[in-house]
């Protein structure tokens, strides 16, 4: 009897489990009506499209310093951007802290960001801000090729990303084509080299039997485990994983300066027009561009501080101002849909 | 289903009130997401984003995976069901319980466990290395996705088949036995044909699970159709195309459900038979073989995944990894799941009550929540997001909206057991109560409610589990600053933080297992009492 009862319960549990799809995003075409915030109480609401572990200590420090109560919504940059676009002017968020420029650009193009004060815009390296001064870079990462020197000798590594589409690299390259860092990278390719060349490269890579991942750290883990040879990622993941495990074997390889693969990817923050706490929002941006936060990103995360004079991550070459100027980041920011289309057309989605 | 009492002619006043409330619940809760999905999907249908050829490849991948998982899980699941309910196998009940434990593991948790188990740095590779095996391949691609989803599907089939076996008329088998059939021959010639309808249902349930899964296939790097939807949602300003792709998935689900109905034919689940069916005798050799086989199934579906999660958690903690505020999130998840269980059961009651009157209208009322339930959660979540942004202020990103979204998704889980129980309540009992001068309301509370309480509890428990595991809707609609275990687990996986992911997954198991056991026990007590 007992077994049967248990089975009956489990039977319906079966139904409970069906349709357990996962994923996320946001949705379509609602009219942005009036403010619908239910977040009474918080003094500042920040949508954080970055790793929670990197940002939470800073949020707590800011709360401790200012006595303000901050509500942070952590998620992936792409999902939060889509959410904000759906929320429109009624978004409860005061700030959007993104890890990739194309997404803040999409928010900016939708007219949902308000201009930041001059002192904030002037604090960072020139060239890393929205064209309307409505977002500002916080830190930067470079695109690199991660590899394990023990299994792939450094002298065999390519100088240019175009080589990755060639025969010797068939089946050996890891990519995360739906990850915001890759989408932003393609947006940069379009800004630097034009749509045609970007598509050619994507199609070449797609035809070379790449290994598709969801995120960047998964690729590093696969390389360390010997399951993957090289992965196209941002530079700072290696630093983080080495901080956790001194024996972590993966290293970064930089493409030749000036190659389309050698691009800078800033993290950025922008203030939303609909936010209820514009002053606290600016305070938080100032805090992120302050000494303590910038050092935190340099030392704990291994990213490039964008405030001059703080330093350069261990083992990475210093930021090249010419390279930054050539990147035209304000244009990169406008290329989100173009980039996603190209990735889809190349068959990488 | 059970020699139906005079439901049709029941007093109309009570029925009408229940029907009105039921209609309000369905119109207000289950229908709106459907409408949004249809309208938005139609609007986005023109946009060409992913090339058609590629979409077909992805759809093919999805269907191939579904076919493989169904092909593997049906024989394994029905075999385990037959072995644990119809043979003299020692420790049948222990086996039966062990086989159903993976029901508390969502597929994405099994995926986490598999990727921690296999590959160059996997636990299993570490264990096998001293035996001369250099490395296991990483958990990636078609075979890994098949393995993962089969692990999740076997207990589903097992459970459905066990229930069907317990309801099967033993007379046919007894006749066959008298004619000298036994063991596997009896199973294939007599039992299996009677299971046809159930297996069709199981195949449909499993296939629906596979085609709407995103988390597991994504972690295991197998490219399916949900991936295209997901990529459209997070990489684009326009969201119409993503809704349009959702509609394609809905069409596939619809075809599956229709196919299942056709396959089942006129086969109806029979009434429960009080007479126990005879069991097949297993010799010592048979017992040994069967126990070994079952042991392998349990090893892969429960022992190895849970051990792997524990090992990764311990390894990470020892290396100084700092898990996020996981405990806080466990409490939050627990609270939400309890609330969703209670609210959904409450909302399900009028619908189940209305369903006692078998009119076309009440059938529709009962059917609409099932349609919403079988949609991809991502689609439902997005539709509710759209609605809550457009709705009255205060609803967006509120706990209320989140709980109502869970209710919209999981209503059928509460309705199912409840309407079954209500249908078996003898109308004469209610007549007696009424003739004693009790009002309709007092009859309902004093007579009906105690009779269907176990079914209500069952429904609430199912909603509880479903809520605890739910991911996409939670990701989209949770109030800012309040995370749940599922959200934490997902985020940690994406960031490659296996320690945190393992701890969150283990906590999910820790919360689920005692509740499932407790509930199974309360069911036994009730059944003894009644």
């Amino acid at each position: 009897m007992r077994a049967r009862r248990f089975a009956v319960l489990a039977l319906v549990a079966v139904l409970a489990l069906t349709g357990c799809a996962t994923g996320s995003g946001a949705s379509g075409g609602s009219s942005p009506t009036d403010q619908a915030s239910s977040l009474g109480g918080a003094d500042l609401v920040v949508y954080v499209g970055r790793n929670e572990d990197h940002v939470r200590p800073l949020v707590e420090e800011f709360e401790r310093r200012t006595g303000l109560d901050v509500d942070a919504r952590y998620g992936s940059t792409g999902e939060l951007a889509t959410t904000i676009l759906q929320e429109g002017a009624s978004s409860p968020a005061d700030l959007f802290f993104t890890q990739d420029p194309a997404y803040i650009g999409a928010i900016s193009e939708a007219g949902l960001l308000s201009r930041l004060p001059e002192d904030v815009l002037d604090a960072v390296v020139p060239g890393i801000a929205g064209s309307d001064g409505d977002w500002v870079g916080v830190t930067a990462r470079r695109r690199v090729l991660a590899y394990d020197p023990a299994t792939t000798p450094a002298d065999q590594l390519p100088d240019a990303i175009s080589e990755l589409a060639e025969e010797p690299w068939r089946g050996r390259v890891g990519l995360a084509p739906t990850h915001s860092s890759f989408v932003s990278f393609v947006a940069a390719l379009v800004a630097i080299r034009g749509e045609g060349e970007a598509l050619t490269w994507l199609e070449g890579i797609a035809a070379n039997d790449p290994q598709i991942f969801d995120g960047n750290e998964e690729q590093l883990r696969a390389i360390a485990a010997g399951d993957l040879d090289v992965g196209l990622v941002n530079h700072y993941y290696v630093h983080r994983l080495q901080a956790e495990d001194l024996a972590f074997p993966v290293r970064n390889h930089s493409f030749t300066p000036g190659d389309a693969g050698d691009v800078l990817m800033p993290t950025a923050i922008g203030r939303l027009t609909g936010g209820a706490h514009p002053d606290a929002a600016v305070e938080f941006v100032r805090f992120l561009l302050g000494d303590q936060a910038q050092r935190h990103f340099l030392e704990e995360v291994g990213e490039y501080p964008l405030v001059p004079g703080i330093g350069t991550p261990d083992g990475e070459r210093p930021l090249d101002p010419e390279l930054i100027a050539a990147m035209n980041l304000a244009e990169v920011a406008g290329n989100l849909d173009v980039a996603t289309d190209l990735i889809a057309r190349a068959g990488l989605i | 289903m059970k020699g139906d009492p005079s439901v049709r002619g029941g007093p109309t006043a009570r029925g009408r009130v229940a029907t009105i409330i039921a209609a309000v619940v369905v119109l207000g809760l289950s229908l709106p997401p459907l409408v949004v999905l249809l309208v938005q999907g139609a609007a986005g249908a023109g946009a060409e984003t992913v090339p058609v050829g590629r979409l077909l490849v992805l759809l093919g991948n999805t269907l191939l995976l579904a076919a493989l998982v169904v092909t593997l899980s049906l024989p394994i699941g029905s075999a385990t069901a037959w072995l644990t309910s119809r043979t003299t196998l020692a420790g049948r009940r222990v086996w039966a319980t062990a086989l159903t434990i993976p029901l508390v593991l969502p597929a994405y948790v099994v995926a986490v466990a598999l990727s921690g188990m296999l590959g160059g740095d996997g636990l299993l590779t570490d264990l096998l290395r001293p035996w001369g095996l250099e490395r296991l391949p990483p958990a990636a691609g078609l075979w890994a996705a098949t393995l993962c989803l089969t692990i999740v599907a076997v207990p589903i089939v097992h459970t459905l088949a066990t229930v069907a076996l317990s309801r099967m008329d033993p007379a046919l088998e007894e006749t066959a036995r008298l004619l000298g059939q036994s063991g596997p021959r009896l199973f294939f010639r007599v039992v299996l044909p009677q299971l046809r309808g159930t297996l069709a249902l199981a195949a449909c349930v499993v296939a629906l699970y596979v085609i709407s899964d995103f988390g597991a296939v994504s972690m295991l790097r197998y490219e399916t159709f949900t991936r295209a939807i997901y990529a459209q949602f997070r990489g684009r300003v326009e969201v119409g195309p993503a809704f349009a792709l959702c509609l394609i998935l809905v069409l596939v689900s619809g075809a599956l459900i229709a196919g299942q109905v056709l396959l089942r034919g006129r086969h109806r689940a029979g009434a429960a038979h009080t007479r126990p069916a005879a069991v097949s005798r297993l010799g010592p050799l048979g017992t040994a073989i069967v126990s070994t086989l079952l042991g392998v199934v349990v090893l892969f579906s429960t022992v190895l995944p849970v051990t792997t999660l524990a090992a990764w958690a311990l390894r990470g903690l020892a290396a100084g990894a700092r898990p996020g505020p996981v405990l806080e999130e466990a409490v939050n998840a627990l609270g939400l799941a309890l609330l969703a269980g209670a609210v959904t059961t409450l909302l399900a009651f009028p619908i189940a009550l209305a369903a006692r009157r078998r009119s076309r209208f009440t059938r529709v009322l009962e059917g609409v929540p099932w349609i919403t339930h079988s949609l991809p959660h991502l689609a439902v979540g997005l539709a509710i997001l759209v609605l809550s942004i457009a709705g009255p202020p205060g609803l967006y990103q509120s706990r209320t909206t989140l709980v109502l979204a869970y209710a919209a998704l999981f209503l059928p889980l509460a309705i199912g057991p409840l309407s079954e129980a209500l249908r078996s309540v003898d109308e004469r009992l209610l007549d007696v109560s009424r003739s004693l001068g009790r009002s309709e309301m007092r009859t309902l509370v004093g007579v009906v409610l105690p009779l269907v309480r176990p079914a209500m509890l069952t429904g609430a428990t199912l909603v509880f589990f479903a809520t605890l595991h739910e991911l996409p809707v939670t990701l989209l609609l949770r109030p800012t600053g309040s995370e749940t275990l599922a959200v934490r687990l997902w985020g940690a996986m994406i960031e490659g933080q296996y320690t945190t992911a393992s701890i969150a997954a283990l906590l999910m198991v820790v919360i689920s297992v005692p509740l499932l056991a407790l509930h199974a026990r309360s069911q036994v007590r009730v059944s003894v009492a009644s």
Side-chain angles (χ1 to χ4, degrees):
Chain A
M1 202 62 210
R2 181 194 169 136
R4 211 192 110 212
R5 285 288 169 181
F6 189 76
V8 172
L9 166 70
L11 159 75
V12 204
V14 158
L15 301 167
L17 288 162
T18 57
C20 260
T22 60
S24 152
S27 94
S30 71
S31 57
T33 48
D34 46 0
Q35 171 69 9
S37 171
S38 62
L39 301 159
D43 301 310
L44 181 65
V45 180
V46 191
Y47 282 13
V48 183
R50 308 209 44 199
N51 187 321
E52 179 173 350
D53 287 356
H54 298 160
V55 181
R56 195 176 354 110
L58 291 176
V59 169
E60 284 165 3
E61 171 65 17
F62 180 76
E63 285 182 312
R64 204 179 55 75
R65 256 197 217 181
T66 60
L68 297 176
D69 178 28
V70 180
D71 258 341
R73 184 177 185 86
Y74 299 96
S76 91
T77 285
E79 290 153 20
L80 288 173
T82 317
T83 306
I84 292 172
L85 288 169
Q86 294 318 304
E87 290 167 350
S90 65
S91 173
D94 293 300
L95 287 168
F96 181 32
F97 186 11
T98 146
Q99 60 182 8
D100 296 286
Y103 293 84
I104 198 112
I107 310 289
S108 166
E109 288 202 335
L112 295 174
L113 295 180
S114 65
R115 194 178 166 83
L116 291 163
E118 295 304 323
D119 68 300
V120 171
L121 296 169
D122 291 342
V124 302
V125 178
I128 307 190
S131 41
D132 301 329
D134 55 0
W135 59 266
V136 66
V138 178
T139 62
R141 310 80 93 70
R142 276 184 318 125
R143 288 301 278 182
V144 293
L145 194 67
Y147 73 108
D148 181 352
T151 51
T152 314
D155 56 9
Q156 289 178 10
L157 295 170
D159 297 322
I161 48 163
S162 55
E163 291 177 45
L164 292 175
E166 292 165 7
E167 193 52 42
W169 293 102
R170 176 166 294 275
R172 298 172 65 192
V173 182
L175 300 174
T178 56
H179 193 267
S180 58
S181 70
F182 188 86
V183 179
S184 266
F185 166 62
V186 174
L189 270 188
V190 173
I192 303 169
R193 297 290 159 103
E195 255 185 82
E197 206 173 308
L199 180 61
T200 308
W201 180 75
L202 284 169
E203 285 174 341
I205 283 279
N208 215 16
D209 191 20
Q211 296 197 37
I212 303 296
F213 289 79
D214 237 22
N216 292 323
E217 303 209 11
E218 295 168 37
Q219 295 185 62
L220 294 197
R221 195 182 146 238
I223 294 170
D227 297 328
L228 175 71
D229 287 338
V230 296
L232 212 44
V233 296
N234 290 336
H235 82 273
Y236 74 105
Y237 293 98
V238 161
H239 294 261
R240 186 205 306 177
L241 290 169
Q242 274 173 354
E244 280 172 20
D245 175 7
L246 287 175
F248 193 71
V250 179
R251 296 290 176 270
N252 283 337
H253 167 73
S254 299
F255 297 100
T256 312
D259 179 66
D262 185 54
V263 297
L264 202 68
M265 297 275 106
T267 65
I269 195 160
R271 183 170 54 155
L272 292 152
T273 41
H277 318 97
D279 297 335
V282 170
E283 237 9 79
F284 190 74
V285 177
R286 285 203 182 99
F287 172 73
L288 286 184
L289 297 177
D291 241 35
Q292 187 187 1
Q294 290 281 303
R295 271 184 206 294
H296 167 83
F297 285 118
L298 173 66
E299 286 154 18
E300 303 291 323
V301 193
E303 292 178 330
Y304 288 93
L306 282 179
V307 173
I310 306 278
T312 299
D314 271 350
E316 302 290 336
R317 66 155 192 265
L319 279 190
D320 186 337
E322 267 177 51
L323 222 56
I324 296 175
M327 288 252 345
N328 196 0
L329 284 164
E331 187 187 328
V332 172
N335 287 343
L336 177 62
D337 275 8
V338 179
T340 304
D341 271 343
L342 292 181
I343 295 169
R345 269 165 67 190
L348 284 168
I349 284 178
Chain B
M1 285 197 197
K2 300 181 176 184
D4 203 1
S6 56
V7 172
R8 197 181 299 269
T12 47
R14 171 168 46 92
R16 207 176 298 131
V17 172
T19 307
I20 291 168
I21 300 176
V24 169
V25 171
V26 170
L27 284 176
L29 205 61
S30 299
L31 203 58
L34 283 174
V35 173
V36 171
L37 177 66
L38 282 173
V39 171
Q40 296 270 354
E48 267 196 41
T49 49
V50 180
V52 177
R54 176 69 181 162
L55 277 183
L56 288 177
V57 169
L58 291 175
L59 199 57
N61 283 353
T62 299
L63 294 177
L64 174 64
L65 179 64
L68 282 174
V69 173
V70 167
T71 312
L72 283 170
S73 60
L74 281 196
I76 300 178
S78 27
T80 56
W82 188 69
L83 289 170
T84 51
S85 61
R86 289 295 179 83
T87 66
T88 55
L89 179 68
R92 287 163 26 185
R93 283 177 193 159
V94 177
W95 282 120
T97 310
L99 284 163
T100 31
I101 285 179
L103 284 177
V104 303
L105 301 176
Y108 57 86
V109 167
V110 176
V112 176
L114 280 180
S115 53
M117 204 188 290
L118 303 167
D121 60 351
L123 190 76
L124 215 53
T125 303
D126 288 349
L127 286 175
L128 293 175
R129 205 167 274 136
W131 304 80
L133 194 120
E134 204 30 60
R135 63 164 58 232
L136 291 167
L142 177 61
W143 70 269
T146 307
L147 178 62
C148 171
L149 288 163
T150 304
I151 286 176
V152 181
V154 164
I156 296 178
V157 179
H158 169 90
T159 315
L160 286 164
T162 304
V163 174
L165 283 172
S166 74
R167 293 186 161 209
M168 204 173 276
D169 188 349
L172 215 57
E173 276 175 76
E174 284 157 10
T175 316
R177 254 172 234 282
L178 284 175
L179 293 172
Q181 304 273 10
S182 70
R185 282 166 65 92
L186 180 84
F187 176 78
F188 284 107
R189 294 236 178 133
V190 182
V191 177
L192 201 56
Q194 292 187 77
L195 279 180
R196 196 185 73 166
T198 302
L199 292 183
L201 174 67
C204 177
V205 167
V206 168
L208 282 176
Y209 192 119
V210 173
I211 63 169
S212 68
D213 173 73
F214 174 76
V217 289
S218 156
M219 284 175 193
L220 298 172
R221 299 165 46 207
Y222 181 62
E223 300 181 4
T224 64
F225 199 78
T226 48
R227 181 186 158 77
I229 298 180
Y230 189 63
Q232 295 306 313
F233 274 123
R234 71 176 181 181
R236 182 177 293 286
V237 179
E238 281 297 316
V239 288
F243 270 113
L245 292 185
C246 275
L247 275 185
I248 297 182
L249 214 53
V250 171
L251 284 180
V252 175
S253 311
L256 270 170
I257 294 169
Q260 176 254 325
V261 170
L262 286 179
L263 251 176
R264 277 183 107 183
R266 298 174 147 272
H267 240 84
R268 291 187 56 186
H273 286 266
T274 42
R275 203 153 52 99
V279 291
S280 296
R281 213 159 290 286
L282 284 178
L285 183 65
T287 304
I289 295 172
V290 164
S291 303
T292 312
L293 290 178
L294 289 180
V296 170
V297 173
V298 172
L299 181 73
F300 273 92
S301 65
T302 311
V303 179
L304 275 175
V306 173
T307 315
T308 307
L309 293 174
W312 274 93
L314 290 176
R315 196 193 285 183
L317 288 176
R322 297 155 296 174
V326 185
L327 271 181
E328 209 175 285
E329 283 148 11
V331 172
N332 194 17
L334 194 67
L336 270 176
L338 286 172
L339 197 60
V343 169
T344 310
T345 310
L346 211 63
L347 292 173
F349 200 84
I351 300 177
L353 211 56
R356 268 168 69 91
R357 305 199 305 167
R358 307 298 299 167
S359 75
R360 189 167 295 164
F361 182 61
T362 59
R363 268 168 219 260
V364 171
L365 282 185
E366 211 186 356
V368 172
W370 278 103
I371 303 176
T372 311
H373 179 68
S374 65
L375 293 179
H377 289 197
L378 178 60
V380 177
L382 285 161
I384 294 177
L385 181 82
V386 169
L387 287 168
S388 67
I389 289 174
L395 275 188
Y396 183 59
Q397 280 193 12
S398 69
R399 231 171 139 81
T400 315
T401 303
L402 186 55
V403 169
L404 287 177
Y406 291 137
L409 272 177
F410 303 134
L411 256 183
L413 304 177
I415 297 174
L418 200 54
S419 67
E420 180 108 342
L422 277 173
R423 236 170 263 154
S424 64
V425 171
D426 196 330
E427 193 70 20
R428 281 169 300 186
L429 212 59
L430 308 187
D431 288 339
V432 171
S433 167
R434 283 181 211 114
S435 66
L436 290 174
R438 286 192 172 183
S439 69
E440 287 301 334
M441 200 55 192
R442 283 189 59 199
T443 303
L444 194 66
V445 173
V447 181
V448 178
L449 224 47
L451 284 173
V452 299
R453 212 182 50 201
M456 285 180 78
L457 270 177
T458 301
T461 311
L462 297 172
V463 177
F464 174 89
F465 284 127
T467 305
L468 193 65
H469 295 164
E470 210 291 326
L471 187 55
V473 164
T474 317
L475 273 175
L476 284 176
L477 300 174
R478 79 199 132 100
T480 293
S482 85
E483 318 281 345
T484 72
L485 272 185
V487 171
R488 164 67 49 186
L489 176 59
W490 178 247
M493 261 314 280
I494 286 180
E495 297 288 347
Q497 294 162 329
Y498 272 63
T499 311
T500 308
S502 307
I503 294 172
L506 282 174
L507 274 176
M508 215 177 248
V509 177
V510 166
I511 292 176
S512 305
V513 171
L515 259 165
L516 198 60
L518 200 74
H519 190 74
R521 272 180 58 193
S522 79
Q523 287 281 299
V524 175
R525 221 177 300 128
V526 169
S527 78
V528 169
S530 59

